[in-house]
Amino acid sequence: MLTAKLSPSMMCADIFCLADTIRTFERMDIPYLHMDVMDGSFVPNLMLGTDTIRQIRRSTAIPLDIHLMIEEPGEKLEWFAPREGEYVSVHVESTRHLQRVLAKIRSLGARPMVALNPATPLVMIEEVLPDVDAVLVMTVNPGYAGQSMVPGTLEKIRRLRALLDGRGFEGVEIEVDGNVTPENAIRMRAAGANIFVAGTSLLFRPGDMEDHIKLFRRQVG
Ligand code: DX5
Ligand code: ZN
C-alpha cells in the first residue's frame, strides 16, 4: 500500500498567516503543497496565479502539487516553471491532446498527474496510464472549498485502484481532492487513495494545525 501523504490546499490558507503556516508544514514534514490554479473558464472561479506560485516556491523547499483547473493547459505549462519532484495535474476534460500534455510535463522535469471530474468515467484515462505518476480523483466538483463529497466518488476510487493494480501500475498514486474530512479520509484510504488534498475539511479549520496533522496520521497513516 502506497504511503499516505497530505497535500495542504493552499487556496484555503489565511494569506495573513501564510509564512507561519508554511513553517509549520516544514516542521511537520508535509510532502507537498497543493496549489489550485483556476482560470474562471474551466471552473467558475479564479485562484492562485503564477506570481503566487513563484513566491511560495521561493519561500520553501516543500515540492508543489500544482492542480491546473484551466483551459488548454498544454499551452501554459511553462508559465508555472514546473520543477523536478513537483506534481502537475491536468484535467482530462481540459485538452484534446492529453497524452501530449502529460508527456510535456515529464519533459519539463515534473511528475505528470491526470485529473478527473466526478462525472468523468475512468475509461477516459485508460490510454494514458503509462504516462502518469498519479491520478487525481475530484471528490467534489472543482472550483470551491467547503463542498460535500460526491457520494459515488468513493466507489470510483476503489475501481481506479483495481484498474491500476490490474494493469500493472501499482506504483501510480491516487490523489483525492475535495471534502477530505477526517472521516472521509479513512474511507478514501480504504478505497485506495494515498495523497490527500487537505483544505477546510481537514487542516484549515478551527483548532491547532499540528493537532489536525497528528490526528490524520494516527487515523490514516
Ligand atoms: C476544490 C479545491 C479543493 C478544496 C479542498 O476545487 O480544489 O482543493 O479547496 O478544500 P475542502 O476541504 O474545503 O473541500
Ligand atoms: Zn485541487
Side-chain angles (χ1 to χ4, degrees), residues 5-108:
K5 303 168 192 171
L6 277 174
S7 187
S9 178
M10 299 309 287
M11 71 177 264
C12 302
D14 177 346
I15 57 172
F16 297 105
C17 312
L18 203 48
D20 291 343
T21 301
I22 291 175
R23 296 296 84 81
T24 299
F25 289 157
E26 289 168 343
R27 205 169 44 251
M28 297 297 288
D29 293 324
I30 293 293
Y32 294 110
L33 299 181
H34 189 81
M35 308 298 293
D36 284 316
V37 179
M38 303 181 187
D39 65 0
S41 175
F42 182 72
V43 290
N45 197 359
L46 287 167
M47 194 54 69
L48 299 188
T50 52
D51 285 350
T52 304
I53 286 182
R54 264 195 285 275
Q55 282 184 43
I56 288 189
R57 188 183 272 130
R58 271 202 303 271
S59 74
T60 181
I62 301 178
L64 302 187
D65 165 23
I66 303 172
H67 179 190
L68 297 178
M69 289 168 270
I70 63 176
E71 304 289 0
E72 297 309 333
E75 300 163 11
K76 304 160 186 168
L77 288 176
E78 287 87 348
W79 296 5
F80 302 93
R83 282 187 185 163
E84 188 174 341
E86 292 186 341
Y87 264 125
V88 177
S89 59
V90 294
H91 274 261
V92 60
E93 308 90 353
S94 68
T95 173
R96 289 186 184 83
H97 306 293
L98 179 61
Q99 195 281 333
R100 178 185 292 154
V101 177
L102 293 168
K104 186 172 181 184
I105 292 169
R106 180 94 63 200
S107 73
L108 291 172

Side-chain angles (χ1 to χ4, degrees), residues 114-219:
V114 62
L116 291 153
N117 283 337
T120 304
L122 294 178
V123 66
M124 293 298 283
I125 60 166
E126 282 191 3
E127 308 305 325
V128 295
L129 297 183
D131 301 292
V132 299
D133 288 358
V135 180
L136 168 50
V137 177
M138 286 307 299
T139 40
V140 298
N141 289 294
Y144 301 97
Q147 301 179 84
S148 296
M149 178 172 70
V150 174
T153 54
L154 210 52
E155 182 51 29
K156 187 176 182 180
I157 297 164
R158 200 167 286 116
R159 285 186 283 113
L160 173 59
R161 190 68 266 163
L163 172 66
L164 291 168
D165 294 349
R167 298 279 182 91
F169 296 103
E170 293 86 349
V172 172
E173 303 189 279
I174 297 179
E175 177 168 296
V176 286
D177 186 351
N179 195 218
V180 181
T181 62
E183 300 73 28
N184 284 342
I186 294 168
R187 300 160 67 202
M188 293 163 169
R189 177 69 164 158
N194 76 289
I195 306 177
F196 300 83
V197 175
T200 64
S201 306
L202 192 72
L203 293 184
F204 299 101
R205 62 189 171 115
D208 179 78
M209 179 70 80
E210 290 197 19
D211 289 346
H212 296 329
I213 294 169
K214 288 173 186 167
L215 172 69
F216 171 86
R217 286 175 172 164
R218 274 199 311 278
Q219 290 184 330

